[in-house]
Each structure stands twice: as structure tokens, then as C-alpha cells.
Amino acid sequence: MKKILSCLLGLVVLLFSCKDDNQQRLAENKKEAAKKEIIFSQIEKGWIFYDSPINETAEESEKTWNEFRMFLTELSKKPKKSIEAFQQRASAISKAAMNLNNNIPIAFDQPQIKSRISVVITKVRMMDLYIHLDNIPAKKVVVLISEINRELATLQREMDKTVEKSKIPVEEGEADLKQMLDNTRAIPTTGPTNVITIE
């Protein structure tokens, strides 16, 4: 009889402890859901990309440079349902940004343009990384979105500057002068020569 009573008592204690665990788990789930909702609303408010060209050069490039057009198209799509939708969109934007290094038009295949593209890619990949963390830092994601916009505008201005420079006519003899000033074409010096004097 004592064994049955002790078994029943143990069973009752076990049931009550399970009930407490369930209530605690439900409370934690509610907190987590509320936290995700706050993160979602912050990211949704800050998810504003400048997805249209800012100057004529960028507009023309969008027509001819497929990777640039695809990148702007990815930026224009805004998810609405959940954090997971934003994560998928960030991955797609990151992939499109990585493709910017492919098939760069000859006019823009210059170090200053490539460095601007690299900065845009870095910012986009950082945003993609942050949005995929377990604890998403929503404020950092929003700040990175504004930085991506700024760097994209800088890239487009640099593209415009490059086109404007190419329109400036070259004066007679300027090409020869540039060749003479080019240090890579200079004849290397062998260093000081030792002069031996005989007395």
C-alpha cells in the first residue's frame, strides 16, 4: 500500500512539474514571438532601397549592363510576409551584387569603379549576414540598408564621372606626355656606381 501511495505521489509531482514546464515554455514562446514581431516591423520600415538610376549614365548602363539591371531589379522587390521572406530577399540581393563583378562594360572596367562595386558588395553581404543571425540586430540591418543606398549612389556618380572624362578631347601630344610621365615605363636605375680612383 505504501508503495502504491508513494508511486501516486510521485506521479502527481511529475504531472505538476510538466504542467509548470509547459506554462514556462508557452511564456517564452510568447516573448520570442513578440521580439520577432518588433524586429520584423523595424526591418520592414527600414527596407527602402534606391532601386532606380540617379543619372543618365546609370540609366544607359542599366539598358546595356545586364548584371547592374538585375541588381536594381532585386533591390526593387520588397518582401511583406515574414522575417524569412526578408532573409530570402537579402540572399537574392547578395547573389545579384556578387554578379556585378561579371561582364563589367569596358568603359567602367577601371580600378575606381571596381573598388566602388566591391564596397557595395561588402555592404550587401554584411546585411545578408546580419539578417540571417539567430538574434537579428534590426538596427544594424537598417543602417546597412542606408549605407548600401549611399554606396550605390557613389558608384553611379563615379560611373558618370568616368563617362564625362572620356568625352574630354585629348590634346595633341598629351598621349606622349602621359607615356613620358608613366613611372612603369621608366628605365630602372642600377644604383650608385662605385668609382675607383687611383692615386
Side-chain angles (χ1 to χ4, degrees):
M1 186 72 174
K2 283 185 177 182
K3 284 186 177 183
I4 294 175
L5 192 58
S6 64
C7 284
L8 283 175
L9 185 63
L11 188 60
V12 169
V13 168
L14 183 66
L15 287 174
F16 278 115
S17 67
C18 287
K19 187 177 180 184
D20 288 342
D21 285 346
N22 283 340
Q23 287 176 349
Q24 186 178 3
R25 203 173 304 122
L26 286 173
E28 286 175 8
N29 287 346
K30 281 183 181 179
K31 279 184 184 179
E32 190 65 31
K35 185 178 175 184
K36 279 189 174 184
E37 187 62 37
I38 291 170
I39 290 171
F40 173 77
S41 66
Q42 286 177 338
I43 292 174
E44 186 181 36
K45 284 178 189 173
W47 195 272
I48 301 169
F49 287 104
Y50 300 148
D51 55 356
S52 50
I54 63 168
N55 54 37
E56 267 185 52
T57 303
E59 282 181 30
E60 290 300 315
S61 298
E62 186 183 20
K63 293 174 187 172
T64 57
W65 186 8
N66 191 37
E67 287 76 10
F68 184 64
R69 181 177 59 251
M70 295 302 293
F71 179 64
L72 293 179
T73 301
E74 289 298 332
L75 290 178
S76 68
K77 299 174 184 173
K78 184 174 181 178
K80 296 178 181 172
K81 295 179 184 176
S82 64
I83 288 289
E84 290 76 20
F86 281 102
Q87 289 172 335
Q88 289 173 353
R89 179 76 1 239
S91 295
I93 291 170
S94 180
K95 188 175 180 182
M98 290 297 292
N99 288 334
L100 285 174
N101 276 327
N102 301 337
N103 303 321
I104 298 173
I106 295 169
F108 301 134
D109 195 9
Q110 298 177 3
Q112 59 270 27
I113 300 288
K114 287 182 176 181
S115 67
R116 298 289 181 197
I117 290 171
S118 294
V119 173
V120 170
I121 290 170
T122 302
K123 298 289 182 183
V124 169
R125 295 198 66 195
M126 283 175 60
M127 177 201 65
D128 187 29
L129 172 77
Y130 281 136
I131 205 164
H132 279 91
L133 293 175
D134 290 335
N135 254 339
I136 300 172
K139 289 180 182 176
K140 283 187 179 181
V141 171
V142 172
V143 167
L144 279 167
I145 289 170
S146 65
E147 289 176 6
I148 291 166
N149 287 331
R150 185 175 62 240
E151 295 302 333
L152 185 58
T154 305
L155 168 65
Q156 293 178 62
R157 284 190 201 104
E158 192 66 44
M159 289 162 57
D160 191 47
K161 209 186 299 184
T162 302
V163 168
E164 290 303 314
K165 281 182 183 177
S166 70
K167 290 179 182 176
I168 299 172
V170 178
E171 291 185 22
E172 187 178 325
E174 187 177 348
D176 295 334
L177 180 63
K178 284 183 180 179
Q179 278 186 342
M180 288 174 32
L181 294 174
D182 188 2
N183 291 336
T184 59
R185 296 177 45 91
I187 299 172
T189 58
T190 57
T193 57
N194 294 333
V195 178
I196 302 173
T197 56
I198 302 175
E199 292 180 17

